[in-house]
Amino acid sequence: EARRLYQAGDFTAAAEAYGRAAQAHAAAGDALSAAEMRNNQAVSLLRGKQPAAALAALQGTDGVFEQAGDLRRQGMALANLAGALEALKRKNEAVEYYRRAGDVLEKAGEGDLRVEIMQLLAVHYLRQGKFFDAVLALQSGLAGVKNPTPRQKLFKKLLFLRLWR
C-alpha cells in the first residue's frame, strides 16, 4: 500500500503507511525490516517537504544496518540522513553524512550507488561555491566504478582535462 501511494505521488499518505509498516515489523521483532520501512518513510517525508520528520524517522537506522553487516543499506541510510540534514540547512553535518555514506558504499562494493552519493555531495559543494571540492567529489565517485557507462567515461575524461589545464 505504501509503495502504491508513493508511486501515485501521495507522499504524506505513503509516509504514514511506511510508518505503520515499520511499527508492525518492530512489533514482530524484525529490526532490519523496520529500519528499511523507516528509511522509506523518510524518503516519502522528504518528497513531501517534511525534512524534520524525515530526520526523526531515520534516527538509528544506519546503526541497525551496521550491526547486521548490511553495508549497502547502511550507506543508503546515511545518504538519506544527509539529504534530510541538507534540507534542514545543516550543511556541515550533511557533508559529513554524504562522506560517510560514500565510504560505506565503497566498502560494500556499490560503485554505482557511490557515484550517485558523490554527485549529491558535488551538487552540495557547488551550491556553496566550492568548485574544486565538487570536482574532487565527482572524481572520487567515478574512480570506484568498475564498468563505467559511456557517459561516465566521458565525464571522467572531462574532469581530468579540467583539473590539469
Side-chain angles (χ1 to χ4, degrees):
E1 177 67 12
R3 185 179 304 139
R4 184 188 63 74
L5 290 165
Y6 182 88
Q7 290 172 344
D10 191 349
F11 302 120
T12 301
E16 291 170 4
Y18 279 124
R20 288 190 302 274
Q23 289 174 344
H25 284 294
D30 186 352
L32 280 174
S33 293
E36 179 74 23
M37 293 301 108
R38 287 184 21 225
N39 268 273
N40 291 340
Q41 178 185 27
V43 170
S44 298
L45 289 164
L46 282 171
R47 294 286 307 270
K49 309 284 190 242
Q50 298 178 57
L55 185 61
L58 289 164
Q59 293 305 308
T61 60
D62 62 306
V64 171
F65 296 129
E66 181 179 27
Q67 285 182 330
D70 190 333
L71 295 177
R72 181 181 191 280
R73 289 196 289 182
Q74 180 189 2
M76 294 305 297
L78 290 166
N80 289 338
L81 279 162
L85 290 164
E86 187 167 9
L88 290 168
K89 310 289 188 231
R90 293 166 57 180
K91 295 174 182 7
N92 292 336
E93 291 172 273
V95 166
E96 181 57 33
Y97 277 94
Y98 279 131
R99 286 183 183 153
R100 286 179 57 197
D103 291 346
V104 170
L105 290 170
E106 183 176 31
K107 288 178 190 171
E110 294 286 345
D112 291 337
L113 283 175
R114 185 170 188 273
V115 167
E116 290 180 38
I117 301 310
M118 299 312 283
Q119 286 174 342
L120 291 171
L121 179 58
V123 168
H124 179 83
Y125 281 136
L126 287 174
R127 287 183 183 143
Q128 293 181 327
K130 297 179 178 180
F131 179 76
F132 189 71
D133 289 336
V135 169
L136 289 177
L138 287 174
Q139 276 191 316
S140 173
L142 289 169
V145 178
K146 293 175 185 151
N147 298 311
T149 65
R151 181 178 174 198
Q152 289 171 333
K153 286 179 186 176
L154 176 64
F155 209 39
K156 279 176 132 176
K157 287 179 185 176
L158 290 173
L159 286 172
F160 179 79
L161 290 174
R162 179 67 182 140
L163 279 179
W164 301 114
R165 283 192 159 213

